[in-house]
Amino acid sequence: MSVKDFNGILLVTLCAYFIVLLAGQIYVKLGYFRGSNITTGITHDWLGTLYEAGRGFRYYSLSTEPSYAAFIVVVLFYAYIESSQTKLSKKGNILIWFILLYMLLFFQSAYGVILMAVLIISKTTLRNSIFIIFIGVIIFLIAAVMKQPAAERVFNLIANVNLSNLENIGSVDYSASFRILPSYFYVSKFNFFDFYSYLGFGAGQSENFLIPLLFDVPMDTFQGGFMPQFIYDYGLIFGFIFLVFLRSEVLPKFISFESFVIFLMLTNANFNTQLFWFTITCFALLKFYKKRKHTESTSRKF
């Protein structure tokens, strides 16, 4: 397909996420959601809706949970802007920009807050840096006044996490601990002289390693991120092969917005997940079209 077709698919998919989010909100508003009287835990219902005790309603549209949805809509937006070769401030992109912000607001994912901040920074130039800083301060103040849960979680982590005693991060943010502690335990207990560290301990063995470290009660299974579960199961050598694939086919360069998104995504999604392959596919196609455009422009010069 042409880059124009690719760009159109990205926009249609982004709008589809927005439409389903609105449908989910209407579904809740009309009183069709069941389970909002729970006192502990989380209840999921139709149209990407969930109710979390003590936190209220959250949404995830066409995805499987809020953090996945936040990643996907940011990836869609970024790939759309990059493939269309337009600026964020272009009049036609303003509406899409606000659609993205609206979705991230109601997904209430801390990942969404982090990704949005890095997206803005990555698009900042010296020419508009003062304006971007001003907007950033305004967004920060609005989030603080409205007590936006996702933003509060990020601020709370920054303020209260003690890097010298990282194992106690669960007391600061229980959810974040399951994204950070697995990699922490993997690195802290890594054995350079163990043959299996390089070729892997086998499929599913990371659960036997992590569950006793993460939980005080018996658990049947734990589905964490690519880091460290894939690395533990299949070894550093296959992890290195994956990095070579990323640099060759997916990343424009190691220090880039794409690299940051993928690094963050790998703490949240393992190999066989919707988020993993959606992100990889979007960025791989984006790199392909950029490379083809560069080749065509170079050939015209000669």
Side-chain angles (χ1 to χ4, degrees):
M1 60 184 171
S2 67
V3 66
K4 185 177 180 180
D5 293 333
F6 173 60
N7 192 254
I9 290 172
L10 294 169
L11 181 58
V12 168
T13 308
L14 187 65
C15 290
Y17 265 79
F18 178 63
I19 291 169
V20 175
L21 169 60
L22 292 179
Q25 291 177 314
I26 294 171
Y27 175 79
V28 169
K29 197 70 176 177
L30 292 176
Y32 292 120
F33 190 96
R34 296 293 179 265
S36 57
N37 59 342
I38 61 171
T39 56
T40 59
I42 296 174
T43 297
H44 294 261
D45 213 330
W46 289 86
L47 296 170
T49 56
L50 69 84
Y51 181 83
E52 187 173 353
R55 189 172 178 180
F57 287 102
R58 299 176 69 195
Y59 301 87
Y60 49 89
S61 188
L62 291 169
S63 190
T64 54
E65 55 101 10
S67 66
Y68 275 33
F71 269 101
I72 287 173
V73 296
V74 169
V75 168
L76 283 167
F77 178 79
Y78 176 80
Y80 171 77
I81 295 296
E82 289 293 303
S83 61
S84 60
Q85 296 291 305
T86 57
K87 296 180 180 179
L88 286 174
S89 57
K90 185 182 176 182
K91 186 181 293 185
N93 291 332
I94 299 299
L95 177 60
I96 303 170
W97 173 258
F98 280 107
I99 285 175
L100 175 67
L101 291 177
Y102 183 89
M103 288 192 286
L104 291 177
L105 177 66
F106 287 99
F107 291 157
Q108 292 186 31
S109 168
Y111 278 115
V113 175
I114 296 170
L115 289 169
M116 177 55 65
V118 176
L119 175 62
I120 292 174
I121 292 170
S122 71
K123 288 295 183 181
T124 300
T125 61
L126 291 175
R127 191 174 181 180
N128 63 3
S129 58
I130 296 176
F131 174 74
I132 291 292
I133 293 171
F134 174 75
I135 293 297
V137 170
I138 295 298
I139 292 174
F140 176 85
L141 291 175
I142 292 174
V145 171
M146 293 180 63
K147 295 184 177 180
Q148 216 283 329
E152 281 192 325
R153 286 179 62 198
V154 174
F155 302 150
N156 188 43
L157 280 168
I158 294 173
N160 297 309
V161 169
N162 184 355
L163 295 179
S164 63
N165 191 19
L166 198 58
E167 292 186 29
N168 287 331
I169 190 176
S171 62
V172 179
D173 191 305
Y174 187 72
S175 178
S177 67
F178 289 104
R179 270 79 174 196
I180 297 172
L181 286 182
S183 295
Y184 168 77
F185 286 132
Y186 173 76
V187 173
S188 63
K189 296 179 182 298
F190 187 84
N191 185 355
F192 286 95
F193 301 102
D194 191 337
F195 172 80
Y196 293 104
S197 296
Y198 300 95
L199 292 180
F201 291 87
Q205 294 305 305
S206 56
E207 292 188 21
N208 298 329
F209 167 70
L210 289 172
I211 287 176
L213 297 171
L214 295 173
F215 301 95
D216 296 326
V217 296
M219 295 289 293
D220 294 328
T221 184
F222 171 69
Q223 298 299 324
F226 183 95
M227 297 188 301
Q229 290 198 255
F230 182 91
I231 307 297
Y232 187 92
D233 289 343
Y234 302 106
L236 280 179
I237 292 176
F238 285 98
F240 176 76
I241 292 172
F242 174 68
L243 283 177
V244 172
F245 160 75
L246 283 181
R247 182 63 188 95
S248 173
E249 304 296 334
V250 181
L251 301 176
K253 50 188 177 182
F254 271 123
I255 301 177
S256 62
F257 178 73
E258 291 92 330
S259 297
F260 180 83
V261 172
I262 289 176
F263 172 79
L264 206 59
M265 179 267 292
L266 293 181
T267 66
N268 194 33
N270 208 337
F271 194 72
N272 293 318
T273 56
Q274 174 200 50
L275 176 59
F276 181 94
W277 287 109
F278 189 93
T279 303
I280 295 296
T281 301
C282 277
F283 285 160
L285 285 170
L286 182 60
K287 180 174 181 176
F288 166 76
Y289 286 118
K290 282 185 173 181
K291 187 176 181 180
R292 187 169 70 177
K293 182 177 181 180
H294 176 73
T295 303
E296 289 174 352
S297 63
T298 303
S299 61
R300 285 196 207 101
K301 293 178 181 179
F302 295 96

